[in-house]
Amino acid sequence: MITMSFLPRLRVACALMAVAATLVPTTARALDPAQVPSIGADTGRFTLPISCQISVGTLKLIKIGGTVDIQGVAPVQLGPGQTFYLSQGSGALTLPAWLTTLGGIVTINKADAVISSLRIGATRSTPATVDLARLYDLSVADVPVQGGKPLTVGLPRTGDFRVGPYVAPADGRVQFRFEGATADVTLKSSVGLKIKVHAECTASQGNALLSVAVGPEVNAGKPALYEGEPLSYPTVAAGNLIGIVNAPYQCDIGGTPYDVGVAVGGVIPLAVKRAGSLSITQASGAITLPAATVNRLMDAGVTSVKGRVDELHLIVDKGTPANPNVLPGGTEIPVTTLQRDKAVVVSLPTTGTVTAGPFKPDATAASMVIGMGSAAASLQFNGSSQVVPVSCPKPQPDALLVDAPII
C-alpha cells in the first residue's frame, strides 16, 4: 500500500527531474541521460580568452590574443579539509594566425611546442596552485601548420591529466582558476628557417573556471575524485563554459528525506560586463534517482510515477533577480517506470531547451555567483489521479553553476 509519507518522496524525485530539465547543455533537444554524470559531479568544458606576450630571444614583439580550452570533472560540493581533484582533464592552447605567418613576414608549415608551465589554481586550498607541466608531458613535435591559421597545441600528449591533490579549506568557497601558461614554440618554414618563440600567457577576461562550496554537510572522509564520467562536450565559444552539474538534493517526500540528483547545466558565460547581463542558454536537465531511492519507493508500493515540476529556483548572489523561478510555467514529467536496484535518469524537458536569465550584476559587485535553489513538484503514482506535493530545499552547501567575475 502506498502511504502519504512515501508519496511525497516520489513526487520530490519527479519534481527534480523536471527541475533538471530546465538547465542542461544541448543545442536543440533534451539532455541525453547517458551524458549525465554521477550525483555530486560537475563536468564541463571551458574556453578562456587569454593574452600572450610573444618574445623572440630577449626581444618582446607583441601581445596577441588566444584561448585556453580545458575540460574536466570537479566535485559539486566539498567538506572541510577534504582532499579533492580536477580529473579527466584535457585541453588545448590556441595561438592566433599572426604567429604562423610572423605578422606576414614568413609562412610557417610546421611547429614544435612545449607547454613549459600550465598552472591551475584552487583558491584557499592547499596547495593554492598546481603546475601541470611538472606532472605531464605537454609537448608536441612537427605539428602541421597552415600559414595564416591558428596554432593549437593539445594537452596532455597522451591520456588525460589529474589536477591535485588539493585540500579544501574549513569553509567558504574554492575557485578553480587558470593562473597562466608558458609556451616555447619552434616555428619551421617551408624553406628550412627555424624561429624560436616564447609566449607568456595570462587570462584576459577573468580567470575563474568554476567555484565549489565547502560545508560540514559533506562527508570529508574520502577524496572527492570522479573518474569514468561521461565527458564529450563540443567546442564552446571563447569566454563560455558548457557543462552539467548533478547536484545532490534531499527532498521531503511524506516527511522523510530522500536522496536525489538534479542535473542542470547549459552554455554559460565565464564573465559578465558591469553594465551587461548573463543568461544560461541551450539549457535542459535531468533527474537522477539512485538505486537506493528507487528501492525505497518500490518498497512503498510505487511502480511508476508521472507529474509536473512546478518550481525550480536559482540563487543569484550579487545579482538580480536574486531568487528567480526559472520554470514559471512548470514542466511535465512523463510516466516513468521504476525497476528495483536500478537507478533512474530522466531528462526534462523531453524536447527542446530553455533559457534562464538574463541576470544583471549588482553595481558594486566583483563577481556574480549563480547556484541551485529550492524546487517544488506535484506527482502522481501508479496511474492514480491523487496529487502528492513535493518540496526540495536548496542543497547544503551550495551547488554552484557559475562564478562569473564582473569585467
Side-chain angles (χ1 to χ4, degrees):
M1 177 178 179
I2 302 173
T3 64
M4 289 300 293
S5 64
F6 284 101
L7 293 179
R9 296 173 187 169
L10 189 50
R11 172 200 166 198
V12 168
C14 294
L16 292 179
M17 294 190 287
V19 163
T22 35
L23 301 169
V24 162
T26 57
T27 54
R29 55 191 176 86
L31 179 66
D32 180 356
Q35 297 302 311
V36 177
S38 301
I39 296 174
D42 179 352
T43 61
R45 185 170 185 172
F46 314 82
T47 304
L48 195 68
I50 59 175
S51 175
C52 299
Q53 175 65 62
I54 302 298
S55 302
V56 176
T58 59
L59 179 63
K60 292 184 177 181
L61 294 182
I62 192 174
K63 279 192 174 182
I64 59 176
T67 60
V68 62
D69 177 359
I70 299 174
Q71 182 171 252
V73 186
V76 174
Q77 302 165 319
L78 289 168
Q82 186 173 17
T83 300
F84 66 98
Y85 297 82
L86 177 65
S87 56
Q88 294 181 230
S90 62
L93 178 68
T94 297
L95 300 174
W98 185 94
L99 196 64
T100 61
T101 59
L102 284 184
I105 299 172
V106 61
T107 299
I108 307 301
N109 63 350
K110 287 186 180 180
D112 299 336
V114 177
I115 308 297
S116 50
S117 177
L118 178 62
R119 303 179 300 280
I120 303 296
T123 58
R124 304 179 65 244
S125 302
T126 306
T129 304
V130 171
D131 189 346
L132 292 182
R134 296 186 179 184
L135 304 174
Y136 299 94
D137 183 355
L138 305 182
S139 65
V140 293
D142 289 327
V143 178
V145 173
Q146 287 184 275
K149 299 286 186 177
L151 172 63
T152 297
V153 182
L155 52 105
R157 187 171 185 174
T158 58
D160 54 28
F161 56 73
R162 179 188 295 178
V163 190
Y166 299 98
V167 177
D171 54 21
R173 292 172 181 160
V174 171
Q175 186 181 73
F176 282 104
R177 300 159 63 105
F178 169 72
E179 300 290 9
T182 302
D184 293 289
V185 182
T186 300
L187 302 170
K188 305 175 183 180
S189 76
S190 56
V191 296
L193 179 65
K194 294 183 179 181
I195 302 174
K196 293 185 177 181
V197 173
H198 181 73
E200 293 279 350
C201 303
T202 57
S204 59
Q205 296 181 20
N207 64 348
L209 300 177
L210 62 99
S211 287
V212 184
V214 182
E217 300 86 357
V218 177
N219 179 8
K222 65 177 183 178
L225 172 61
Y226 292 90
E227 295 183 303
E229 299 295 337
L231 193 62
S232 58
Y233 292 106
T235 302
V236 67
N240 291 272
L241 71 88
I242 183 171
I244 301 172
V245 174
N246 198 350
Y249 272 73
Q250 277 203 332
C251 296
D252 184 279
I253 307 175
T256 302
Y258 268 55
D259 293 329
V260 176
V262 179
V264 301
V267 176
I268 311 177
L270 289 167
V272 58
K273 292 183 179 180
R274 171 109 21 222
S277 63
L278 179 153
S279 294
I280 303 172
T281 59
Q282 300 179 36
S284 57
I287 183 172
T288 301
L289 302 181
T293 295
V294 170
N295 289 348
R296 290 178 65 192
L297 291 169
M298 295 191 73
D299 290 342
V302 177
T303 58
S304 69
V305 59
K306 69 174 183 177
R308 181 180 182 82
V309 177
D310 303 310
E311 296 179 9
L312 173 61
H313 290 269
L314 298 183
I315 298 175
V316 183
D317 186 14
K318 308 297 184 184
T320 54
N323 188 216
N325 173 20
V326 296
L327 287 177
T331 298
E332 296 300 320
I333 302 169
V335 175
T336 302
T337 301
L338 306 182
Q339 298 181 48
R340 188 166 295 276
D341 299 324
K342 186 176 181 179
V344 171
V345 181
V346 179
S347 58
L348 294 170
T350 55
T351 59
T353 60
V354 300
T355 295
F359 307 108
K360 295 185 177 182
D362 292 349
T364 59
S367 64
M368 184 171 64
V369 181
I370 301 176
M372 299 291 294
S374 61
S378 305
L379 297 183
Q380 296 166 271
F381 305 117
N382 302 343
S384 171
S385 61
Q386 182 181 8
V387 176
V388 179
V390 178
S391 63
C392 305
K394 80 176 187 69
Q396 294 288 349
D398 293 334
L400 303 177
L401 299 176
V402 66
D403 186 348
I406 311 301
I407 59 173

